[in-house]
Amino acid sequence: MKIAVVGAPTTGKTRLAQALAQHLPELQVCDAPSPEVLKAGAYERVLLMGLDLPGSTTAQEEADGRLRAQLAVGGLDYGVVYGQGPQRLRAALRLITPQDGPPPRWTGPCERCADPDCEFQIFTGLMKSKAAGRLPS
């Protein structure tokens, strides 16, 4: 699979390209594709580096805007990679090989999990306790 990693200067595109090539040696990763090669559809995935690293500059924002416009004009689909350190590699891998099916359900404490079933159980428990005239424990 051929992967293009693009991004504004000093956004870590070369570091990510190296990490991807090391993690999945079967990938062909390029961190400096020419605009003509990008438009020709030579890459199966295009990853754009996000501007979430500390110290983002106006020049980086302008370069990022130009890259996004270039990708849009070329009709190219791309994924934006955010995170720092190993987070970026994990984010890029999810964009390269997306998992099928829904994300796994959260299994945290019910008060904080945002699972509709848990919320419903908490709500009905509160309503029952209020109806009985006592505070929930």
Side-chain angles (χ1 to χ4, degrees):
M1 177 182 287
K2 292 179 79 173
I3 308 295
V5 181
V6 297
T10 66
T11 54
K13 63 182 178 178
T14 301
R15 190 174 310 131
L16 178 64
Q18 292 168 346
L20 285 169
Q22 184 178 16
H23 189 76
L24 294 172
E26 67 273 13
L27 294 179
Q28 295 177 14
V29 184
C30 178
D31 67 339
S34 71
E36 296 77 29
V37 173
L38 271 176
K39 288 180 187 175
Y43 296 95
E44 295 171 69
R45 298 275 192 280
V46 178
L47 305 178
L48 174 66
M49 302 304 294
L51 296 179
D52 59 334
L53 294 179
S56 179
T57 65
T58 304
Q60 284 178 313
E61 291 172 9
E62 291 170 357
D64 183 73
R66 286 190 300 274
L67 277 169
R68 289 174 188 261
Q70 175 187 346
L71 293 168
V73 167
L76 297 169
D77 293 329
Y78 62 93
V80 182
V81 179
Y82 293 105
Q84 295 182 18
Q87 294 171 334
R88 280 199 165 196
L89 177 60
R90 286 192 302 273
L93 291 171
R94 282 193 304 272
L95 290 168
I96 293 168
T97 56
Q99 302 298 315
D100 292 333
R105 289 184 78 139
W106 177 258
T107 58
C110 289
E111 302 86 49
R112 298 184 191 117
C113 74
D115 183 320
D117 295 332
C118 289
E119 288 182 14
F120 181 74
Q121 289 176 359
I122 291 169
F123 177 73
T124 54
L126 287 171
M127 293 303 290
K128 287 177 187 176
S129 66
K130 284 183 181 180
R134 57 180 153 64
L135 295 174
S137 52

